[in-house]
Amino acid sequence: MVPRSPSVNEELRRRSQARLLEATVELIGEHGYEATTLADIADRAGAARGLVSYYFPGKRQLLQTAVHRLMHMELARGLDREPRPEGEEAGRELLARAIDAILGLARDRPRLMRTHMAGILTAEGFIQCPEQQRLAGLLRDTVTRYGSEDPETDYRLLRALLMGAVVAVLLPGAPMAPERLRAELFHRYELDWELGLPPGDEPPGGSRMSALG
């Protein structure tokens, strides 16, 4: 048998990790964090149990990586959606799409995103990983296209505002409507309500000029 080349081995590792990450978001979205075991994830991915521990030091790290991958992929799809924005206003459209992509995950996958945010806000904190870096790169490029003169600082501010909005959508007992939070963020960045994927013809309050009503 001819030994596999390093490039083939790397592609096999990439595919194995992708299956584990996809299985993680599926199972935790369906059953919750505590009810999902690493063995469950391995079974859903069609992988050996030991492979999970080989790639990831623990379930919390696996979850953060899986959610960052999901966020990166959703954001990339939103930014690349046809028709692709061009011209002077392209940066504003891209920022609107980025906001809609992240708020859409909070709206459509509440259990998964609530679990993710809870992990970040506990002792484990924010875990750096390649998927998080890819997500950061897309957001940083978006604020650059928007016209930022300090992309690193403005990226961090956008990240904080988006995280705050996700928490507000998912807050048990006192959630805020994603539409209202979208209006607040669009007002902050002076974006027209019609940009991105507007959830209705008018922002809350009925004013196109001010998202604050």
Side-chain angles (χ1 to χ4, degrees):
M1 174 181 274
V2 178
R4 290 194 296 256
S5 68
S7 62
V8 170
N9 286 331
E10 178 60 29
E11 177 62 17
L12 291 173
R13 284 192 292 270
R14 188 194 67 78
R15 292 181 182 180
S16 293
Q17 289 183 38
R19 288 196 299 270
L20 291 170
L21 295 171
E22 290 167 4
T24 300
V25 297
E26 290 173 1
L27 286 168
I28 292 179
E30 293 168 9
H31 306 296
Y33 183 78
E34 297 299 336
T36 299
T37 67
L38 293 178
D40 294 332
I41 293 169
D43 288 344
R44 175 69 65 92
R49 167 65 178 81
L51 198 60
V52 185
S53 300
Y54 176 77
Y55 287 132
F56 303 98
K59 188 166 68 168
R60 185 63 68 181
Q61 291 86 346
L62 173 58
L63 171 62
Q64 281 207 36
T65 299
V67 175
H68 283 142
R69 177 177 181 270
L70 175 65
M71 294 172 72
H72 165 249
M73 293 175 64
E74 286 295 313
L75 181 55
R77 274 193 288 267
L79 295 175
D80 290 340
R81 191 181 71 248
E82 296 290 346
R84 295 186 178 181
E86 299 178 350
E88 294 182 358
E89 294 298 302
R92 293 165 56 78
E93 169 66 20
L94 289 172
L95 181 56
R97 292 184 181 192
I99 292 170
D100 284 340
I102 302 305
L103 285 179
L105 283 172
R107 180 193 64 235
D108 299 335
R109 295 176 178 254
R111 172 181 276 173
L112 177 69
M113 295 302 292
R114 186 179 293 115
T115 305
H116 173 63
M117 295 305 299
I120 290 176
L121 296 172
T122 57
E124 288 86 355
F126 193 76
I127 297 170
Q128 299 286 344
C129 67
E131 294 294 345
Q132 185 275 328
Q133 292 168 4
R134 294 185 184 99
L135 173 62
L138 284 181
L139 289 174
R140 194 178 291 108
D141 181 66
T142 298
V143 297
T144 300
R145 295 284 302 277
Y146 174 70
S148 169
E149 297 180 358
D150 185 359
E152 183 59 31
T153 298
D154 290 337
Y155 148 69
R156 291 178 182 274
L157 176 59
L158 175 61
R159 182 182 68 186
L161 291 171
L162 289 172
M163 289 177 67
V166 168
V167 170
V169 170
L170 302 173
L171 190 63
M176 288 192 68
E179 296 80 9
R180 182 65 186 184
L181 291 161
R182 182 186 196 265
E184 297 283 350
L185 288 168
F186 272 44
H187 178 75
R188 166 68 175 75
Y189 288 102
E190 299 181 344
L191 301 174
D192 296 329
W193 181 256
E194 295 83 0
L195 296 175
L197 289 173
D201 294 335
E202 299 278 351
S207 172
R208 292 180 182 269
M209 298 300 295
S210 172
L212 292 177

